[in-house]
Amino acid sequence: MPEPMSRAALVEAQRIVMRVPKGPWPVEPNEYGPPDQVGPICFLETWSDAERLPVIEFISWARDAVPQFIGEVARQRDQIRRLERELKTARSEEAGARRG
């Protein structure tokens, strides 16, 4: 399992994603028919023709999915921080109630 994303890595990922052209990036055929372009990426070649379409489809999918994943990481971090604060407050109140 990969290490958790650091705050700096999250900020860098957001910066990178914001700089690429807006999606979706459609898969497009070349003049002979087989796809070799996705969005602004053209003349995509792979080690084998059998790998080309899955790679192109992945790039197309990732263009929209990666920003969503980054947003989800940020949302979950915010939620964890909020829950940690609530837990700390609840423990403090519980300790105060015990004392008196």
Side-chain angles (χ1 to χ4, degrees):
M1 182 114 187
E3 291 296 315
M5 184 179 269
S6 69
R7 175 80 180 136
L10 178 60
V11 168
E12 178 68 3
Q14 290 170 328
R15 183 190 69 75
I16 290 169
V17 166
M18 295 303 294
R19 292 182 59 195
V20 298
K22 300 281 185 227
W25 289 356
V27 174
E28 299 188 26
N30 65 26
E31 63 218 36
Y32 305 106
D36 69 352
Q37 179 175 340
V38 57
I41 302 169
C42 60
F43 305 115
L44 181 69
E45 293 186 19
T46 56
W47 292 109
S48 75
D49 288 343
E51 293 175 348
R52 184 178 298 170
L53 185 57
V55 168
I56 290 172
E57 288 174 341
F58 172 79
I59 292 169
S60 180
W61 169 84
R63 173 59 192 97
D64 292 327
V66 168
Q68 291 172 350
F69 292 149
I70 292 170
E72 182 62 15
V73 167
R75 185 194 68 75
Q76 288 184 11
R77 281 179 181 236
D78 291 344
Q79 184 176 18
I80 289 167
R81 284 190 197 105
R82 182 182 55 80
L83 292 171
E84 287 172 340
R85 285 192 306 269
E86 288 176 11
L87 181 59
K88 183 177 179 180
T89 300
R91 285 180 177 163
S92 293
E93 290 173 355
E94 183 180 319
R98 283 188 199 150
R99 282 183 260 159

